[in-house]
Amino acid sequence: MPRTIWSGAISFGLVTVPIHVVSATEDHSIHFHRVHLEDMARVRTRKVCELEDREVATSEIGKGYEIARDQVVPISDEELRDLPLPTAKAIEIVAFMPWEAIDPIRIGDGYYLAPDGQVAAKPYKLLRQALERSSRVAVARYAWSGRERLGLLRVRGEAIVLHAMRWPDEIRDPSSLLPPPVELTDEEIDGALALMDTMTRDDLDAPEFRDTYTEAVAELIEAKREHRQPPAAPEPAAESGQLVDLMAALTESVSKAKQSRGENAEHADVHEMPKRTAKKQPAKKAAAKKTARKPRKSA
């Protein structure tokens, strides 16, 4: 079992659920040490006092808040732990909401909430089943690592998951990043929808949903260990430098997506999209009629 990150209780009205918090995810990334390239010895970070110019022990290091360049206020872990907050040792549920009402950009890391002993089994199951039957999530407040946080509780299987959430003022306004106004045709939108249809999945268990970067790093390390050349990187596709025809790109993308799924991609037209030339034909006929009427008008 993963180690307990935090212990406390879920406060649900007058119902209290003692819980342990454990991480719900694992990091399988490959991590590197910093080394001196001449002799491969480890390079470590030293903690040095700027005034005394000497290395200090961990026991000599604490927290401080800089009010001015020459004034720092020390704050101890005990003072932070004893702050008069109702959420200091409890995850306090303050509201329930539909899952769809939560903007995913506000959702952070996930943690499993494990019931703490037999006394917590019944209220834990009560909260889990209430969340499941209502199809809602709980919004809660809790205090970790020297700050109060907003959290989201939801059901995953038989467990309750706590997601850290960002406060509203922590989300940046994206309006300055939006592209300039452009016009899209119905055919282009239909093309994008057709591409989405060919790329739709029911789960994320397909072979393409794997960490190819970590696999490549592992292969590089193995090649170096065996004193052989690592696999060559694929040549990047040459860029033409020309503007891409959006409809042609969509149609080709649908074709490639079907091929990757083993489907027949010979007829990869997007839905029943009319071709651009078909739309221009009426305009040409109208122009021809105008030319034919000119002699009669001058007569």
Side-chain angles (χ1 to χ4, degrees), residues 6 48 81 84 88 107 113 127 136 141 147-148 151 154 158 180 183 192 198 222 225 232 235 246 248 251 255 264 283:
W6 186 86
V48 176
R81 185 188 61 212
I107 300 175
L113 303 183
L127 176 59
R136 295 174 187 162
R141 301 164 71 103
R147 58 170 294 195
E148 191 171 48
R154 68 177 180 91
E158 296 297 314
E183 293 295 329
T198 59
E222 187 66 16
R225 187 177 70 86
E235 290 291 333
L246 195 52
T251 305
S255 175
N264 185 5

XYZ file of all heavy atoms in Angstrom, residues 6 48 81 84 88 107 113 127 136 141 147-148 151 154 158 180 183 192 198 222 225 232 235 246 248 251 255 264 283:
235
model
N -1.684 12.115 4.524
C -2.381 13.010 5.471
C -3.452 12.194 6.167
O -4.082 11.318 5.561
C -2.982 14.173 4.686
C -3.630 15.276 5.470
C -3.012 16.366 6.020
C -5.025 15.426 5.753
N -3.934 17.177 6.622
C -5.186 16.627 6.472
C -6.161 14.679 5.471
C -6.418 17.091 6.917
C -7.402 15.123 5.905
C -7.523 16.320 6.616
N 23.455 26.702 1.793
C 24.458 27.619 2.324
C 23.785 28.889 2.830
O 22.922 29.466 2.150
C 25.509 27.970 1.240
C 26.498 28.997 1.750
C 26.222 26.712 0.782
N 0.581 24.706 11.752
C -0.277 23.567 12.086
C -1.387 23.970 13.048
O -2.501 23.432 13.004
C 0.585 22.469 12.718
C -0.160 21.167 12.997
C 0.714 20.221 13.798
N 1.075 20.833 15.092
C 2.225 20.611 15.717
N 3.141 19.825 15.178
N 2.479 21.186 16.883
N -6.068 28.681 13.550
C -7.467 28.444 13.932
C -8.365 28.218 12.709
O -9.232 29.033 12.371
C -7.838 29.739 14.674
C -6.954 30.779 14.055
C -5.668 30.085 13.715
N -8.206 22.380 9.407
C -6.831 21.989 9.693
C -6.686 20.473 9.762
O -5.680 19.925 9.345
C -6.376 22.622 11.005
N -9.219 21.178 -11.939
C -9.002 19.912 -11.240
C -7.528 19.534 -11.279
O -6.895 19.551 -12.337
C -9.863 18.799 -11.859
C -11.351 19.172 -11.743
C -9.610 17.466 -11.161
C -12.274 18.208 -12.428
N -9.146 8.305 -0.656
C -9.473 8.478 0.751
C -9.838 7.104 1.300
O -10.837 6.512 0.897
C -10.642 9.454 0.923
C -10.435 10.850 0.308
C -11.635 11.748 0.613
C -9.144 11.484 0.818
N -21.459 7.902 2.536
C -21.107 9.043 1.682
C -20.860 8.583 0.247
O -21.308 9.233 -0.705
C -19.874 9.751 2.243
C -19.334 10.911 1.404
C -20.385 11.993 1.202
C -18.073 11.494 2.060
N -23.643 13.243 -8.242
C -23.026 14.532 -7.936
C -21.621 14.325 -7.375
O -21.236 13.220 -7.016
C -23.860 15.314 -6.919
C -25.226 15.724 -7.429
C -26.033 16.360 -6.329
N -27.407 16.607 -6.766
C -28.414 16.830 -5.941
N -28.214 16.839 -4.643
N -29.629 17.039 -6.409
N -13.384 21.964 1.490
C -12.221 22.782 1.852
C -11.355 21.966 2.798
O -11.860 21.219 3.646
C -12.665 24.076 2.542
C -13.574 24.950 1.719
C -14.259 25.983 2.602
N -13.341 27.003 3.059
C -13.275 28.233 2.546
N -14.095 28.586 1.569
N -12.427 29.114 3.012
N -1.448 25.896 3.566
C -2.444 26.720 2.882
C -3.768 25.981 2.828
O -3.810 24.751 2.848
C -1.995 27.074 1.465
C -1.708 25.895 0.585
C -1.500 26.294 -0.867
N -2.727 26.827 -1.447
C -2.910 26.984 -2.749
N -1.941 26.681 -3.598
N -4.032 27.459 -3.218
N -4.851 26.754 2.788
C -6.177 26.146 2.652
C -6.460 25.917 1.172
O -6.135 26.751 0.327
C -7.259 27.037 3.273
C -8.599 26.326 3.383
C -9.619 27.110 4.186
O -9.777 28.318 3.916
O -10.262 26.519 5.061
N -11.248 21.377 -2.751
C -11.146 20.012 -3.246
C -12.461 19.509 -3.789
O -13.524 20.086 -3.551
N -15.237 12.583 -5.435
C -16.064 11.825 -6.376
C -15.854 10.334 -6.130
O -14.938 9.930 -5.425
C -15.718 12.171 -7.813
C -14.348 11.707 -8.273
C -14.093 12.017 -9.740
N -12.779 11.565 -10.183
C -12.554 10.357 -10.704
N -13.550 9.498 -10.857
N -11.331 10.004 -11.082
N -15.260 1.450 -5.766
C -15.727 1.393 -4.383
C -15.070 2.450 -3.509
O -15.304 2.485 -2.297
C -15.433 0.000 -3.804
C -16.178 -1.134 -4.495
C -17.689 -1.001 -4.347
O -18.158 -0.727 -3.232
O -18.390 -1.150 -5.366
N -7.497 35.544 -34.146
C -8.359 36.567 -34.739
C -9.604 35.936 -35.341
O -9.604 34.733 -35.660
C -7.472 37.191 -35.835
C -6.429 36.162 -36.114
C -6.204 35.430 -34.831
N -13.783 32.839 -40.615
C -15.039 32.240 -41.069
C -14.796 30.767 -41.394
O -13.792 30.417 -42.013
C -15.564 32.967 -42.312
C -16.009 34.400 -42.054
C -17.211 34.481 -41.123
O -18.038 33.532 -41.144
O -17.313 35.462 -40.368
N -14.408 18.134 -39.872
C -13.827 17.943 -38.542
C -14.628 16.923 -37.742
O -14.056 16.079 -37.029
C -13.769 19.277 -37.803
N -14.017 9.052 -36.729
C -13.057 7.980 -37.005
C -12.037 7.829 -35.875
O -11.405 6.781 -35.761
C -12.293 8.249 -38.317
O -11.606 9.509 -38.223
C -13.247 8.292 -39.500
N 19.726 1.493 -22.207
C 20.176 0.118 -22.456
C 21.251 0.076 -23.531
O 22.241 -0.659 -23.415
C 18.971 -0.743 -22.860
C 19.258 -2.227 -22.980
C 19.620 -2.867 -21.643
O 19.360 -2.256 -20.587
O 20.185 -3.971 -21.677
N 24.453 1.306 -22.036
C 25.021 0.301 -21.123
C 25.726 -0.802 -21.905
O 26.750 -1.332 -21.465
C 23.899 -0.297 -20.267
C 24.382 -1.217 -19.163
C 23.221 -1.711 -18.321
N 22.400 -2.638 -19.056
C 22.642 -3.955 -19.141
N 23.687 -4.482 -18.526
N 21.828 -4.744 -19.808
N 18.135 5.231 -34.356
C 18.150 6.565 -34.975
C 16.769 7.193 -34.880
O 15.744 6.503 -34.978
C 18.589 6.451 -36.435
N 13.233 10.740 -39.368
C 13.385 12.038 -40.028
C 12.083 12.814 -39.942
O 11.019 12.279 -40.255
C 13.754 11.839 -41.506
C 15.161 11.302 -41.722
C 16.218 12.342 -41.346
O 15.908 13.540 -41.430
O 17.326 11.943 -40.930
N -7.649 23.323 -46.029
C -8.242 22.724 -44.849
C -9.070 21.487 -45.189
O -8.992 20.455 -44.519
C -9.106 23.763 -44.119
C -9.517 23.441 -42.679
C -8.316 23.076 -41.833
C -10.259 24.613 -42.069
N -8.811 19.499 -47.832
C -7.942 18.406 -48.275
C -7.263 17.758 -47.079
O -7.131 16.530 -47.004
C -6.908 18.926 -49.268
N -9.857 15.555 -45.223
C -10.155 14.325 -45.954
C -9.008 13.324 -45.841
O -9.220 12.129 -45.612
C -10.446 14.640 -47.440
O -11.500 15.609 -47.517
C -10.856 13.392 -48.186
N -8.863 9.545 -43.970
C -8.337 8.368 -44.651
C -7.262 7.682 -43.808
O -7.277 6.458 -43.628
C -7.766 8.770 -46.012
O -7.149 7.677 -46.647
N -11.438 0.213 -44.467
C -11.249 0.544 -45.874
C -11.247 2.051 -46.033
O -12.218 2.725 -45.725
C -12.374 -0.079 -46.717
C -12.145 0.148 -48.203
O -11.117 0.681 -48.605
N -13.099 -0.274 -49.005
N -22.343 30.143 -60.120
C -21.805 31.486 -60.351
C -21.317 31.617 -61.782
O -21.485 32.634 -62.427
C -20.684 31.770 -59.371
